[in-house]
Amino acid sequence: MSNRYDIAIVGSGPAGLSAAINAKIRNKNIIIFGSSELSGKLIKAPKIDNYLGLPDITGIQLKDRFQHHVANMGIDITYERINTIYAMGQYFGIAVNEKMYEASAVILATGIEYTKALKGEEEFLGRGVGYCATCDAPLYRGKIVTIIGYNKEAEAEANYVNELAKKTYYIPMYRESLNLNENVEIVRDKVVEISGGNKVEKVILKSKEIVTDGVFVLKDSIAPDKLVPGLIMENGHIKVDMNMKTNIEGCFAAGDCVGKPYQYMKAAGQGQVAALNAVFYIDKN
Amino acid sequence: MVEEIKDQDFSQSIENAPTPVVVDFWASWCGPCKMLSPVIEEVSDELSGKAKFFKLNVDENPVTAAQFKIASIPTVMVFKNGNMVDKFVGFRPKDAIKDALEKHI
């Protein structure tokens, strides 16, 4: 059976890394999910002057310092993209495609770069709109399905859906060439709205409309309340208290995903607070 | 306890229940359903006697799934006197489910 981590940290920006080193110092068994460049925003920063102790540093230099720091502490970053985090009560189930990790506590440090929802997307969620084509495809056997794809991975899901659906449309939200089965109809147009009555009926595009039974919106990153079902948001950010606690017991959040200002030191500070409270939570239970 | 329910006994079980009825629509290929089912099981134990809990496999019971226009699973529906009074789609943590159900009890 899978072993259970004490703390799973989602995100490898300043908040996630600061959480990781502080949890590690407290001798907790952690896993941190992120990317090899740590943070897309960090490496793009030309010059940073408000990170205490490290004046006049570039984003890439700061990233190198962070990398050096975590490596020295024996922290390895797991390069995997998480689909869903399930709050099971006593623990969290962290799903990465077919794989499942378990952790007693979770710290969300996902930043704030998720794609804005399409018009009608949230309204029809669960009434024809879904985020996981492989999960719900069998419900659309013999029906018409439209896939709005934000990345190459979405193409494989479209091909799979096409095996079951009567008709599959694919609307790419990027410019690269597509690798789709010939039966999948490619629609290169701008999505205006997902519309319907009780459930989804059509996708309205700039130049035409597609009649459809279901729409799958397949994105790179998803909003935190879709990542963690049941998580409460406030004004586009994860709602937390001073201890970086969310509404879900054992789930903490830190950094840009909890609100402004979007700054490195604030993120690192919140990551630390989240880690210490997660440690307290684990020791208490 | 969560009992299995099928197309043929669905309406009878829903209509004749003395308490609110909660139905979890699921399928074996659905990951979130697998996560939700132990959570619903726990909730059913804690609300034992106050509500009746069923699960319905949408693959094996297409009539009921079509009747309630199940477009995404897991879907959980609450019935009172045979009428659907509430539903939610997708996984929810235990507290959120309990809060939602207690409104109807």
Side-chain angles (χ1 to χ4, degrees):
Chain A
M1 218 12 237
S2 62
N3 68 325
R4 187 173 297 176
Y5 293 94
D6 293 322
I7 304 174
I9 298 160
V10 187
S12 58
L17 295 176
S18 166
I21 61 165
N22 282 286
K24 188 85 179 177
I25 289 168
R26 293 304 185 95
N27 212 19
K28 293 300 170 206
N29 178 19
I30 62 164
I31 183 165
I32 171 166
F33 297 95
S35 69
S36 54
E37 38 185 50
L38 301 186
S39 151
K41 264 185 242 162
L42 184 57
I43 59 166
K44 282 181 202 135
K47 188 163 162 285
I48 299 158
D49 260 330
N50 64 350
Y51 200 94
L52 184 65
L54 296 168
D56 192 25
I57 195 167
T58 68
I60 289 180
Q61 285 168 336
L62 187 57
K63 185 210 81 165
D64 290 342
R65 300 291 288 259
F66 286 170
Q67 231 154 13
H68 191 238
H69 191 166
V70 294
N72 263 347
M73 294 188 65
I75 296 167
D76 290 322
I77 296 168
T78 303
Y79 304 133
E80 280 180 316
R81 208 169 68 91
I82 292 163
N83 299 337
T84 316
I85 299 174
Y86 301 100
M88 303 299 291
Q90 296 305 303
Y91 73 99
F92 292 86
I94 299 157
V96 178
N97 298 325
E98 296 305 297
K99 212 177 343 171
M100 187 72 77
Y101 293 94
E102 289 184 7
S104 301
V106 163
I107 297 172
L108 303 170
T110 50
I112 191 110
E113 273 178 306
Y114 43 89
T115 322
K116 208 167 151 253
L118 297 164
K119 189 162 180 230
E121 178 185 324
E122 284 171 347
E123 186 190 344
F124 289 104
L125 185 62
R127 291 189 293 140
V129 171
Y131 292 123
C132 178
T134 45
C135 304
D136 290 339
L139 294 170
Y140 292 96
R141 201 182 294 273
K143 296 191 173 168
I144 307 170
V145 178
T146 304
I147 294 181
I148 302 174
Y150 286 76
N151 55 42
K152 298 287 290 174
E153 290 159 28
E155 295 164 24
E157 296 208 48
N159 288 334
Y160 167 64
V161 168
N162 185 50
E163 290 170 18
L164 301 164
K166 180 171 75 182
K167 173 82 193 165
T168 311
Y169 294 99
Y170 190 83
I171 307 174
M173 303 295 272
Y174 49 91
R175 289 180 180 280
E176 291 154 66
S177 64
L178 305 173
N179 183 15
L180 290 163
N181 292 348
E182 52 184 301
N183 299 337
V184 177
E185 187 172 332
I186 298 162
V187 183
R188 290 197 187 268
D189 202 342
K190 194 178 172 327
V191 179
V192 177
E193 185 182 351
I194 299 166
S195 80
N198 263 332
K199 57 180 285 302
V200 166
E201 283 159 17
K202 55 194 175 180
V203 177
I204 301 171
L205 303 160
K206 212 168 164 200
S207 63
K208 64 168 176 176
E209 293 183 6
I210 301 175
V211 173
T212 191
D213 297 305
V215 179
F216 289 108
V217 184
L218 306 179
K219 302 177 186 182
D220 271 330
S221 52
I222 54 175
D225 54 343
K226 306 291 180 313
L227 182 70
V228 187
L231 190 69
I232 291 178
M233 305 279 288
E234 198 173 54
N235 304 320
H237 297 106
I238 302 169
K239 191 178 175 189
V240 287
D241 67 8
M242 288 288 287
N243 296 318
M244 300 290 119
K245 276 185 188 169
T246 69
N247 67 303
I248 297 173
E249 189 80 350
C251 179
F252 302 81
D256 289 357
C257 62
V258 307
K260 289 177 182 174
Y262 302 149
Q263 302 283 347
Y264 301 118
M265 293 217 74
K266 173 251 184 190
Q270 290 184 330
Q272 179 182 40
V273 174
L276 297 179
N277 283 301
V279 168
F280 182 68
Y281 167 79
I282 290 163
D283 291 346
K284 193 181 62 180
N285 282 291
Chain B
M1 195 180 66
V2 182
E3 277 175 53
E4 190 91 40
I5 192 170
K6 301 207 171 291
D7 276 344
Q8 49 271 28
D9 46 5
F10 190 85
S11 36
Q12 209 193 357
S13 309
I14 299 301
E15 280 157 21
N16 296 343
T19 59
V21 176
V22 180
V23 183
D24 173 16
F25 294 82
W26 70 288
S28 57
W29 41 263
C30 155
C33 300
K34 276 184 211 148
M35 303 307 287
L36 186 66
S37 106
V39 177
I40 294 270
E41 194 76 46
E42 274 184 43
V43 174
S44 76
D45 290 341
E46 288 176 26
L47 297 180
S48 158
K50 294 181 183 165
K52 185 104 184 98
F53 287 76
F54 291 108
K55 59 181 173 183
L56 180 128
N57 184 319
V58 296
D59 282 342
E60 293 166 7
N61 301 284
V63 177
T64 310
Q67 184 190 343
F68 292 99
K69 299 188 173 65
I70 303 297
S72 191
I73 50 172
T75 291
V76 174
M77 288 186 180
V78 184
F79 295 86
K80 254 180 167 169
N81 308 317
N83 299 315
M84 203 247 289
V85 290
D86 204 356
K87 76 161 181 175
F88 64 85
V89 176
F91 181 90
R92 298 286 164 92
K94 192 170 102 184
D95 290 347
I97 296 172
K98 262 183 95 173
D99 288 351
L101 297 184
E102 272 167 349
K103 282 193 303 218
H104 302 289
I105 289 172

